[in-house]
Amino acid sequence: MGELRNPPAQGTGRGIVVHGAQWGDEGKGKIVDLLTESAKAVVRFQGGNNAGHTLVVGGEKTIVHLMPSGILHPDTTCLIGNGVVLDPEVLCKEMDTLAEKGVAVTPERLMISRKTHVIMPYHRTLDSAREALRAGGKIGTTGRGIGPCYEDKMARIGIRAGDFDDPELLGKKIAQALVEKNTLFHHLFNMEPMDPVAVAETVAPVARRLAPYLGDVSTVIQKTMGTGGDVLFEGAQGTHLDIDHGTYPFVTSSNTVSGQAAAGSGCSPRALPRVVAVVKAYTTRVGSGPFPTELFGTIGDYLQQKGGEYGATTGRKRRCGWLDLVLLRESARLSGPPDIALTKLDVLSGLYEIKLCIGYRYKGKVFEYPPQDEGALEHVEPMYETMPGWEEDLSGLTAWEDLPLAAREYVSRIEQSLQTTCSIISVGPDRRQTIVRG
C-alpha cells in the first residue's frame, strides 16, 4: 500500500492523532486499522461505548465500541486512556466476541488506565430517565450513561477503573454516588431507589475480570515512543459533537478535537506532531441537532442506502447531506490537520452532479466559518458550488491516477478549500480498498 509517512528518527517514535472532522461516523475505525500497520500501540483517548468503529478485513466485519481499533493487529498494544468512560460489561462482551473470532484479548495486549472512569448501572438508568423526561426536547442521547459518568467525574464522586482491585473502596464510592441519585430517582423520576450493596454485587464479577488489565497507560506511551515506536491516538465521535466546540446542546459529553489526545491519554502535546482528520465524502448525522446541508429527497435516500448509513452502535438511520466545507474549515481550525483521510468517495458514484457547501448566509452576512451563536446552524442558508459527478465504480481502484477526472477534481477542491492534503482515500469498506498518496 505504500509508505504512509516519513520514518521517525531512531529512538523517537511519534504520536499520530486520528479524529473525526464531522459529526462522527466518518470511518475512523478503518483509518486507525490501516495506520496501525506501522504503529506499536493504539490508545483510545475519549468517549465511551456510544461510539462504534467498523473494521472490515477480508470481507469479515468487526464492530468495536470500546476496544481500540488496532486490536486486529496481533503485535499491537491496545490502550484505553483516562479520558474514556468505560462500561465494563460492554468491554467484557467485546472481549468475548473477539475471542470467538480467534482474537485473543489478554493483559499483554490490552491495558486500561487506572484513571479511566467507569460507567455504572445507575448512570445508564439516569441517562434514560432524563431523556424520557425531556419529551419533545430530546437531544438524542444513546442512553448508555456516558453523560452522567462524566458528570460524576467532574463532581469528584466518580468510580475509576483503579477501584476494581479494592472492593471495599469500590463499595464506599458507589454508596456515596447514590446518595444524590437516589433522591432524583425517588422524587423527580418516581422510580425505586437503587441499593448500593446490590449495585456493588452486580459490578463485582466484571471488576474482578478486568482488574488484571489495569495499568499505567502514560508510561506505556512514553516507553513505546522512547524505543522508536509510533503510537496512534484514536478519537471517537466527531469535531462537531465536541462538548465545547460542537452544535451545543446536541453534542457528546467529552472533547472530541485532536487537542484532547494528550489530556485523555497522559502525554505531552509535543509528542503528537501528526493529526489525521477523517472526512466522509458527504455529510451524515445521527440523532437530533442542526444539519444545514441535509437532503430529504431522492439523493439523500441514495446516499443513505448506498453508503449503508446506519449507526454502528445504535442501528439508527443516519441523516445524509452534501459535504459541508464550512464545518470542515472549523474542524481544520480547531485541530490543525496536515492530513485528511477521505472516506466513502465510492458512494458518490452514479450522481450526475455533486454539490459542496462553500459558505452560509446568516442574518444578512456571508460566513466562511460557522456563526458562533447557539442554535445559529438551525437558521443558516447553505451556499452551494456544483461540480460534475461520475458514473464509474471506484471500489476496485488502488491509484490516484485511476480515479475519474471528476472524482479527482472533487478531492482537489476539498484540499484547496481546507489547505490540506487528502493523503488517504477510501473507496470501500475493506482494508484493501484504499488509495494512499505520497
Side-chain angles (χ1 to χ4, degrees), residues 109-393:
R109 295 231 36 224
L110 174 69
M111 178 182 288
I112 303 166
S113 171
R114 289 181 169 274
K115 300 175 182 177
T116 300
H117 279 253
V118 179
I119 296 172
M120 304 298 287
Y122 48 79
H123 291 137
R124 294 190 293 269
T125 301
L126 182 58
D127 205 1
S128 298
R130 282 176 175 167
E131 188 75 343
L133 194 66
R134 289 188 182 103
K138 294 180 184 294
I139 61 171
T141 176
T142 59
R144 284 162 167 77
I146 311 295
C149 185
Y150 276 118
E151 288 176 31
D152 278 6
K153 177 178 181 176
M154 297 306 174
R156 295 175 286 280
I157 57 170
I159 308 299
R160 302 207 294 182
D163 302 333
F164 280 173
D165 57 8
D166 189 339
E168 184 178 352
L169 175 62
L170 180 61
K172 288 180 180 179
K173 293 180 76 171
I174 289 172
Q176 179 189 20
L178 277 173
V179 171
E180 181 181 40
K181 289 172 184 60
N182 276 336
T183 301
L184 290 173
F185 290 147
H186 181 64
H187 294 287
L188 180 60
F189 299 114
N190 196 29
M191 299 168 62
E192 286 295 320
M194 298 183 78
D195 179 4
V197 175
V199 171
E201 290 175 349
T202 299
V203 173
V206 290
R208 287 193 297 269
R209 180 176 177 182
L210 294 180
Y213 293 84
L214 303 177
D216 185 348
V217 165
S218 297
T219 295
V220 173
I221 293 171
Q222 182 183 40
K223 287 183 176 179
T224 302
M225 291 185 180
T227 54
D230 285 354
V231 178
L232 282 177
F233 293 76
E234 177 183 17
Q237 291 93 28
T239 298
H240 297 284
L241 291 176
D242 186 280
I243 185 66
D244 289 307
H245 302 289
T247 48
Y248 192 88
F250 303 99
V251 293
T252 193
S253 301
S254 59
N255 288 109
T256 60
V257 294
S258 65
Q260 175 63 17
S265 57
C267 73
S268 165
R270 295 176 61 189
L272 309 173
R274 184 181 178 191
V275 176
V276 179
V278 185
V279 176
K280 191 179 288 186
Y282 49 98
T283 308
T284 61
R285 179 164 198 168
V286 173
S288 306
F291 188 169
T293 65
E294 186 171 8
L295 294 164
F296 297 98
T298 304
I299 297 176
D301 291 340
Y302 178 87
L303 294 174
Q304 194 276 325
Q305 293 167 15
K306 188 175 180 183
E309 296 297 351
Y310 296 91
T313 298
T314 63
R316 290 183 292 182
K317 182 177 177 180
R318 294 177 186 141
R319 302 151 64 190
C320 298
W322 296 121
L323 189 66
D324 191 332
L325 293 175
V326 182
L327 289 179
L328 289 177
R329 289 189 198 106
E330 179 81 340
S331 299
R333 177 165 70 178
L334 293 170
S335 292
D339 285 279
I340 283 179
L342 188 69
T343 63
K344 291 199 169 183
L345 186 63
D346 55 299
V347 176
L348 297 179
S349 293
L351 295 176
Y352 174 72
E353 62 181 25
I354 300 169
K355 293 185 178 182
L356 284 163
C357 176
I358 57 173
Y360 296 154
R361 287 191 178 91
Y362 177 66
K363 293 185 177 180
K365 297 180 180 179
V366 173
F367 286 77
E368 290 189 342
Y369 290 84
Q372 299 299 304
D373 305 348
E374 183 172 324
L377 259 63
E378 292 277 12
H379 307 288
V380 299
E381 176 190 350
M383 301 165 59
Y384 288 112
E385 177 181 306
T386 302
M387 300 189 70
W390 59 88
E391 291 290 337
E392 294 89 338
D393 178 11

